[in-house]
mmCIF file of all heavy atoms in Angstrom:
data_model
loop_
_atom_site.group_PDB
_atom_site.id
_atom_site.type_symbol
_atom_site.label_atom_id
_atom_site.label_comp_id
_atom_site.label_asym_id
_atom_site.label_seq_id
_atom_site.Cartn_x
_atom_site.Cartn_y
_atom_site.Cartn_z
ATOM 1 N N ALA A 965 -158.828 -24.356 -105.060
ATOM 2 C CA ALA A 965 -157.650 -24.467 -106.048
ATOM 3 C C ALA A 965 -157.662 -23.300 -106.914
ATOM 4 O O ALA A 965 -158.779 -22.913 -107.550
ATOM 5 C CB ALA A 965 -157.794 -25.765 -106.799
ATOM 6 N N LEU A 966 -156.585 -22.605 -106.948
ATOM 7 C CA LEU A 966 -156.331 -21.473 -107.899
ATOM 8 C C LEU A 966 -154.915 -21.537 -108.402
ATOM 9 O O LEU A 966 -154.018 -21.857 -107.628
ATOM 10 C CB LEU A 966 -156.538 -20.067 -107.186
ATOM 11 C CG LEU A 966 -157.926 -19.696 -106.757
ATOM 12 C CD1 LEU A 966 -157.910 -18.461 -105.864
ATOM 13 C CD2 LEU A 966 -158.831 -19.513 -107.956
ATOM 14 N N SER A 967 -154.736 -21.268 -109.703
ATOM 15 C CA SER A 967 -153.342 -21.395 -110.239
ATOM 16 C C SER A 967 -152.836 -20.045 -110.635
ATOM 17 O O SER A 967 -153.509 -19.279 -111.409
ATOM 18 C CB SER A 967 -153.410 -22.299 -111.424
ATOM 19 O OG SER A 967 -152.102 -22.300 -112.139
ATOM 20 N N ALA A 968 -151.629 -19.633 -110.157
ATOM 21 C CA ALA A 968 -151.051 -18.377 -110.548
ATOM 22 C C ALA A 968 -150.726 -18.353 -112.019
ATOM 23 O O ALA A 968 -150.780 -17.268 -112.656
ATOM 24 C CB ALA A 968 -149.729 -18.198 -109.790
ATOM 25 N N HIS A 969 -150.583 -19.488 -112.723
ATOM 26 C CA HIS A 969 -150.271 -19.576 -114.082
ATOM 27 C C HIS A 969 -151.458 -19.853 -114.948
ATOM 28 O O HIS A 969 -151.557 -19.351 -116.090
ATOM 29 C CB HIS A 969 -149.164 -20.579 -114.352
ATOM 30 C CG HIS A 969 -147.915 -20.305 -113.600
ATOM 31 N ND1 HIS A 969 -147.516 -20.980 -112.514
ATOM 32 C CD2 HIS A 969 -146.984 -19.329 -113.785
ATOM 33 C CE1 HIS A 969 -146.494 -20.561 -112.042
ATOM 34 N NE2 HIS A 969 -146.052 -19.529 -112.768
ATOM 35 N N ARG A 970 -152.443 -20.633 -114.499
ATOM 36 C CA ARG A 970 -153.580 -21.020 -115.349
ATOM 37 C C ARG A 970 -154.791 -20.128 -115.040
ATOM 38 O O ARG A 970 -155.635 -20.035 -115.953
ATOM 39 C CB ARG A 970 -153.892 -22.502 -115.089
ATOM 40 C CG ARG A 970 -152.840 -23.409 -115.746
ATOM 41 C CD ARG A 970 -153.027 -24.762 -115.322
ATOM 42 N NE ARG A 970 -152.430 -24.975 -114.076
ATOM 43 C CZ ARG A 970 -152.034 -26.061 -113.490
ATOM 44 N NH1 ARG A 970 -152.083 -27.140 -114.118
ATOM 45 N NH2 ARG A 970 -151.456 -26.067 -112.284
ATOM 46 N N THR A 971 -154.885 -19.582 -113.879
ATOM 47 C CA THR A 971 -156.043 -18.723 -113.514
ATOM 48 C C THR A 971 -155.542 -17.408 -112.864
ATOM 49 O O THR A 971 -155.976 -17.047 -111.744
ATOM 50 C CB THR A 971 -157.042 -19.440 -112.619
ATOM 51 O OG1 THR A 971 -156.395 -19.733 -111.299
ATOM 52 C CG2 THR A 971 -157.656 -20.628 -113.253
ATOM 53 N N PRO A 972 -154.695 -16.705 -113.565
ATOM 54 C CA PRO A 972 -154.011 -15.474 -112.904
ATOM 55 C C PRO A 972 -155.057 -14.421 -112.548
ATOM 56 O O PRO A 972 -154.911 -13.796 -111.457
ATOM 57 C CB PRO A 972 -152.997 -15.009 -113.869
ATOM 58 C CG PRO A 972 -153.502 -15.534 -115.192
ATOM 59 C CD PRO A 972 -154.108 -16.872 -114.915
ATOM 60 N N SER A 973 -156.041 -14.129 -113.343
ATOM 61 C CA SER A 973 -156.965 -13.063 -112.960
ATOM 62 C C SER A 973 -157.830 -13.498 -111.764
ATOM 63 O O SER A 973 -158.194 -12.649 -110.919
ATOM 64 C CB SER A 973 -157.869 -12.729 -114.199
ATOM 65 O OG SER A 973 -158.644 -13.834 -114.605
ATOM 66 N N GLU A 974 -158.195 -14.823 -111.609
ATOM 67 C CA GLU A 974 -158.936 -15.287 -110.551
ATOM 68 C C GLU A 974 -158.133 -15.178 -109.231
ATOM 69 O O GLU A 974 -158.649 -14.912 -108.125
ATOM 70 C CB GLU A 974 -159.415 -16.730 -110.736
ATOM 71 C CG GLU A 974 -160.494 -16.786 -111.748
ATOM 72 C CD GLU A 974 -160.096 -16.872 -113.217
ATOM 73 O OE1 GLU A 974 -158.852 -16.682 -113.496
ATOM 74 O OE2 GLU A 974 -160.905 -17.220 -114.060
ATOM 75 N N VAL A 975 -156.827 -15.498 -109.328
ATOM 76 C CA VAL A 975 -155.920 -15.275 -108.180
ATOM 77 C C VAL A 975 -155.889 -13.909 -107.716
ATOM 78 O O VAL A 975 -155.972 -13.631 -106.579
ATOM 79 C CB VAL A 975 -154.543 -15.874 -108.449
ATOM 80 C CG1 VAL A 975 -153.566 -15.529 -107.327
ATOM 81 C CG2 VAL A 975 -154.477 -17.388 -108.703
ATOM 82 N N GLU A 976 -155.702 -12.977 -108.614
ATOM 83 C CA GLU A 976 -155.622 -11.553 -108.303
ATOM 84 C C GLU A 976 -156.940 -11.134 -107.637
ATOM 85 O O GLU A 976 -156.893 -10.432 -106.602
ATOM 86 C CB GLU A 976 -155.310 -10.749 -109.535
ATOM 87 C CG GLU A 976 -155.183 -9.219 -109.236
ATOM 88 C CD GLU A 976 -154.812 -8.411 -110.412
ATOM 89 O OE1 GLU A 976 -154.506 -8.960 -111.563
ATOM 90 O OE2 GLU A 976 -154.843 -7.185 -110.280
ATOM 91 N N GLU A 977 -158.044 -11.530 -108.215
ATOM 92 C CA GLU A 977 -159.386 -11.074 -107.696
ATOM 93 C C GLU A 977 -159.547 -11.639 -106.289
ATOM 94 O O GLU A 977 -160.043 -10.956 -105.399
ATOM 95 C CB GLU A 977 -160.525 -11.625 -108.630
ATOM 96 C CG GLU A 977 -161.830 -11.272 -108.145
ATOM 97 C CD GLU A 977 -162.945 -11.835 -109.075
ATOM 98 O OE1 GLU A 977 -162.641 -12.325 -110.143
ATOM 99 O OE2 GLU A 977 -164.177 -11.804 -108.638
ATOM 100 N N PHE A 978 -159.226 -12.908 -106.129
ATOM 101 C CA PHE A 978 -159.277 -13.546 -104.736
ATOM 102 C C PHE A 978 -158.458 -12.652 -103.750
ATOM 103 O O PHE A 978 -158.964 -12.389 -102.722
ATOM 104 C CB PHE A 978 -158.768 -14.979 -104.808
ATOM 105 C CG PHE A 978 -158.365 -15.458 -103.370
ATOM 106 C CD1 PHE A 978 -159.391 -15.931 -102.547
ATOM 107 C CD2 PHE A 978 -157.070 -15.559 -102.982
ATOM 108 C CE1 PHE A 978 -159.043 -16.307 -101.255
ATOM 109 C CE2 PHE A 978 -156.717 -15.933 -101.709
ATOM 110 C CZ PHE A 978 -157.751 -16.343 -100.827
ATOM 111 N N ALA A 979 -157.217 -12.456 -104.018
ATOM 112 C CA ALA A 979 -156.339 -11.698 -103.143
ATOM 113 C C ALA A 979 -156.760 -10.274 -102.809
ATOM 114 O O ALA A 979 -156.850 -9.906 -101.669
ATOM 115 C CB ALA A 979 -154.930 -11.707 -103.722
ATOM 116 N N VAL A 980 -157.261 -9.639 -103.865
ATOM 117 C CA VAL A 980 -157.780 -8.226 -103.687
ATOM 118 C C VAL A 980 -158.929 -8.207 -102.735
ATOM 119 O O VAL A 980 -159.078 -7.290 -101.949
ATOM 120 C CB VAL A 980 -157.985 -7.602 -105.043
ATOM 121 C CG1 VAL A 980 -158.793 -6.270 -104.924
ATOM 122 C CG2 VAL A 980 -156.683 -7.310 -105.754
ATOM 123 N N GLN A 981 -159.830 -9.168 -102.865
ATOM 124 C CA GLN A 981 -161.055 -9.218 -102.141
ATOM 125 C C GLN A 981 -161.016 -9.921 -100.775
ATOM 126 O O GLN A 981 -161.953 -9.905 -99.969
ATOM 127 C CB GLN A 981 -162.223 -9.831 -102.973
ATOM 128 C CG GLN A 981 -162.522 -9.057 -104.209
ATOM 129 C CD GLN A 981 -163.587 -9.746 -105.088
ATOM 130 O OE1 GLN A 981 -163.998 -10.860 -104.800
ATOM 131 N NE2 GLN A 981 -163.912 -9.117 -106.145
ATOM 132 N N ALA A 982 -159.890 -10.635 -100.443
ATOM 133 C CA ALA A 982 -159.800 -11.477 -99.325
ATOM 134 C C ALA A 982 -160.045 -10.698 -97.945
ATOM 135 O O ALA A 982 -160.893 -11.176 -97.214
ATOM 136 C CB ALA A 982 -158.346 -12.064 -99.207
ATOM 137 N N ALA A 983 -159.411 -9.595 -97.753
ATOM 138 C CA ALA A 983 -159.643 -8.930 -96.491
ATOM 139 C C ALA A 983 -161.073 -8.392 -96.332
ATOM 140 O O ALA A 983 -161.649 -8.500 -95.274
ATOM 141 C CB ALA A 983 -158.645 -7.727 -96.429
ATOM 142 N N GLY A 984 -161.622 -7.898 -97.431
ATOM 143 C CA GLY A 984 -162.987 -7.448 -97.431
ATOM 144 C C GLY A 984 -164.017 -8.507 -97.110
ATOM 145 O O GLY A 984 -165.122 -8.240 -96.706
ATOM 146 N N ARG A 985 -163.630 -9.815 -97.341
ATOM 147 C CA ARG A 985 -164.517 -10.897 -97.139
ATOM 148 C C ARG A 985 -164.302 -11.461 -95.749
ATOM 149 O O ARG A 985 -164.956 -12.408 -95.296
ATOM 150 C CB ARG A 985 -164.257 -12.041 -98.151
ATOM 151 C CG ARG A 985 -164.632 -11.785 -99.515
ATOM 152 C CD ARG A 985 -164.659 -12.996 -100.393
ATOM 153 N NE ARG A 985 -163.417 -13.710 -100.416
ATOM 154 C CZ ARG A 985 -163.404 -15.041 -99.975
ATOM 155 N NH1 ARG A 985 -164.388 -15.600 -99.312
ATOM 156 N NH2 ARG A 985 -162.228 -15.686 -100.006
ATOM 157 N N GLY A 986 -163.503 -10.758 -94.931
ATOM 158 C CA GLY A 986 -163.325 -11.218 -93.526
ATOM 159 C C GLY A 986 -162.172 -12.185 -93.213
ATOM 160 O O GLY A 986 -161.957 -12.650 -92.152
ATOM 161 N N LEU A 987 -161.371 -12.549 -94.302
ATOM 162 C CA LEU A 987 -160.290 -13.389 -94.091
ATOM 163 C C LEU A 987 -159.184 -12.737 -93.310
ATOM 164 O O LEU A 987 -159.064 -11.479 -93.359
ATOM 165 C CB LEU A 987 -159.712 -13.958 -95.393
ATOM 166 C CG LEU A 987 -160.622 -14.846 -96.182
ATOM 167 C CD1 LEU A 987 -160.071 -15.070 -97.560
ATOM 168 C CD2 LEU A 987 -160.873 -16.104 -95.591
ATOM 169 N N LYS A 988 -158.565 -13.461 -92.521
ATOM 170 C CA LYS A 988 -157.475 -12.932 -91.649
ATOM 171 C C LYS A 988 -156.057 -13.382 -92.027
ATOM 172 O O LYS A 988 -155.027 -12.746 -91.797
ATOM 173 C CB LYS A 988 -157.703 -13.242 -90.171
ATOM 174 C CG LYS A 988 -159.038 -12.757 -89.606
ATOM 175 C CD LYS A 988 -159.075 -11.220 -89.545
ATOM 176 C CE LYS A 988 -160.382 -10.851 -89.039
ATOM 177 N NZ LYS A 988 -160.763 -9.429 -89.415
ATOM 178 N N VAL A 989 -155.996 -14.625 -92.520
ATOM 179 C CA VAL A 989 -154.698 -15.318 -92.938
ATOM 180 C C VAL A 989 -155.022 -16.122 -94.116
ATOM 181 O O VAL A 989 -156.042 -16.794 -94.294
ATOM 182 C CB VAL A 989 -154.131 -16.174 -91.757
ATOM 183 C CG1 VAL A 989 -152.794 -16.813 -92.142
ATOM 184 C CG2 VAL A 989 -154.094 -15.455 -90.488
ATOM 185 N N ILE A 990 -153.978 -16.261 -95.028
ATOM 186 C CA ILE A 990 -154.122 -17.094 -96.293
ATOM 187 C C ILE A 990 -152.878 -18.037 -96.244
ATOM 188 O O ILE A 990 -151.759 -17.647 -96.078
ATOM 189 C CB ILE A 990 -153.992 -16.257 -97.504
ATOM 190 C CG1 ILE A 990 -155.210 -15.266 -97.533
ATOM 191 C CG2 ILE A 990 -153.990 -17.158 -98.761
ATOM 192 C CD1 ILE A 990 -155.122 -14.205 -98.628
ATOM 193 N N ILE A 991 -153.244 -19.332 -96.419
ATOM 194 C CA ILE A 991 -152.193 -20.336 -96.549
ATOM 195 C C ILE A 991 -152.209 -20.792 -98.089
ATOM 196 O O ILE A 991 -153.282 -21.094 -98.535
ATOM 197 C CB ILE A 991 -152.495 -21.543 -95.765
ATOM 198 C CG1 ILE A 991 -152.383 -21.185 -94.247
ATOM 199 C CG2 ILE A 991 -151.481 -22.706 -96.015
ATOM 200 C CD1 ILE A 991 -152.783 -22.343 -93.282
ATOM 201 N N ALA A 992 -151.172 -20.625 -98.722
ATOM 202 C CA ALA A 992 -151.011 -20.973 -100.191
ATOM 203 C C ALA A 992 -149.983 -22.030 -100.412
ATOM 204 O O ALA A 992 -148.833 -21.839 -100.137
ATOM 205 C CB ALA A 992 -150.791 -19.693 -100.986
ATOM 206 N N GLY A 993 -150.420 -23.114 -100.942
ATOM 207 C CA GLY A 993 -149.516 -24.225 -101.324
ATOM 208 C C GLY A 993 -149.284 -24.357 -102.773
ATOM 209 O O GLY A 993 -150.275 -24.316 -103.544
ATOM 210 N N ALA A 994 -148.015 -24.583 -103.185
ATOM 211 C CA ALA A 994 -147.744 -24.732 -104.541
ATOM 212 C C ALA A 994 -146.419 -25.469 -104.742
ATOM 213 O O ALA A 994 -145.528 -25.392 -103.905
ATOM 214 C CB ALA A 994 -147.719 -23.357 -105.281
ATOM 215 N N GLY A 995 -146.371 -26.190 -105.860
ATOM 216 C CA GLY A 995 -145.145 -26.923 -106.182
ATOM 217 C C GLY A 995 -144.407 -26.288 -107.350
ATOM 218 O O GLY A 995 -144.862 -25.268 -108.057
ATOM 219 N N MET A 996 -143.258 -26.762 -107.641
ATOM 220 C CA MET A 996 -142.415 -26.421 -108.822
ATOM 221 C C MET A 996 -142.159 -24.836 -108.845
ATOM 222 O O MET A 996 -141.499 -24.385 -107.903
ATOM 223 C CB MET A 996 -142.982 -26.936 -110.081
ATOM 224 C CG MET A 996 -143.077 -28.423 -110.039
ATOM 225 S SD MET A 996 -143.403 -29.239 -111.720
ATOM 226 C CE MET A 996 -144.987 -28.502 -112.199
ATOM 227 N N ALA A 997 -142.628 -24.094 -109.818
ATOM 228 C CA ALA A 997 -142.310 -22.718 -109.844
ATOM 229 C C ALA A 997 -142.971 -21.922 -108.620
ATOM 230 O O ALA A 997 -142.446 -20.920 -108.193
ATOM 231 C CB ALA A 997 -142.933 -22.057 -111.103
ATOM 232 N N ALA A 998 -144.005 -22.469 -108.106
ATOM 233 C CA ALA A 998 -144.584 -21.994 -106.782
ATOM 234 C C ALA A 998 -144.815 -20.457 -106.711
ATOM 235 O O ALA A 998 -144.539 -19.878 -105.742
ATOM 236 C CB ALA A 998 -143.760 -22.491 -105.640
ATOM 237 N N ALA A 999 -145.421 -19.939 -107.779
ATOM 238 C CA ALA A 999 -145.647 -18.519 -107.748
ATOM 239 C C ALA A 999 -146.852 -18.159 -106.996
ATOM 240 O O ALA A 999 -147.021 -16.943 -106.545
ATOM 241 C CB ALA A 999 -145.830 -18.060 -109.226
ATOM 242 N N LEU A 1000 -147.792 -19.032 -106.683
ATOM 243 C CA LEU A 1000 -149.061 -18.763 -106.107
ATOM 244 C C LEU A 1000 -148.925 -17.903 -104.835
ATOM 245 O O LEU A 1000 -149.581 -16.839 -104.620
ATOM 246 C CB LEU A 1000 -149.840 -19.981 -105.802
ATOM 247 C CG LEU A 1000 -151.273 -19.814 -105.262
ATOM 248 C CD1 LEU A 1000 -152.149 -19.051 -106.225
ATOM 249 C CD2 LEU A 1000 -151.935 -21.238 -104.988
ATOM 250 N N PRO A 1001 -148.148 -18.327 -103.829
ATOM 251 C CA PRO A 1001 -148.086 -17.506 -102.560
ATOM 252 C C PRO A 1001 -147.695 -16.040 -102.809
ATOM 253 O O PRO A 1001 -148.227 -15.123 -102.230
ATOM 254 C CB PRO A 1001 -147.137 -18.288 -101.702
ATOM 255 C CG PRO A 1001 -147.136 -19.658 -102.214
ATOM 256 C CD PRO A 1001 -147.341 -19.544 -103.631
ATOM 257 N N GLY A 1002 -146.612 -15.908 -103.674
ATOM 258 C CA GLY A 1002 -146.111 -14.576 -103.920
ATOM 259 C C GLY A 1002 -147.125 -13.671 -104.716
ATOM 260 O O GLY A 1002 -147.262 -12.500 -104.401
ATOM 261 N N VAL A 1003 -147.852 -14.256 -105.604
ATOM 262 C CA VAL A 1003 -148.862 -13.457 -106.363
ATOM 263 C C VAL A 1003 -149.969 -13.080 -105.429
ATOM 264 O O VAL A 1003 -150.414 -11.833 -105.467
ATOM 265 C CB VAL A 1003 -149.411 -14.317 -107.555
ATOM 266 C CG1 VAL A 1003 -150.611 -13.623 -108.220
ATOM 267 C CG2 VAL A 1003 -148.294 -14.589 -108.561
ATOM 268 N N ILE A 1004 -150.427 -13.896 -104.562
ATOM 269 C CA ILE A 1004 -151.369 -13.558 -103.542
ATOM 270 C C ILE A 1004 -150.847 -12.469 -102.613
ATOM 271 O O ILE A 1004 -151.505 -11.455 -102.431
ATOM 272 C CB ILE A 1004 -151.842 -14.769 -102.665
ATOM 273 C CG1 ILE A 1004 -152.612 -15.778 -103.706
ATOM 274 C CG2 ILE A 1004 -152.634 -14.365 -101.554
ATOM 275 C CD1 ILE A 1004 -152.906 -17.091 -102.977
#
C-alpha cells in the first residue's frame, strides 16, 4: 500500500527504483482521485 497523497515521496522512490529491482510491470489500484497509477 502506497498513497500518492499521503506518502508521495515513498511513491516516487518506489517508482524510480522499480526497474532496478527487477520489476517488469506495475499494477496500481486507486479510488476517487486515483492519482497513484499516474504518479508511478
Side-chain angles (χ1 to χ4, degrees):
L966 291 171
S967 170
H969 300 105
R970 288 170 281 206
T971 59
S973 59
E974 288 85 349
V975 171
E976 183 178 353
E977 181 181 351
F978 161 79
V980 168
Q981 295 177 359
R985 292 193 308 111
L987 294 173
K988 303 293 181 202
V989 184
I990 299 168
I991 296 174
M996 300 191 302
L1000 182 61
V1003 171
I1004 292 171

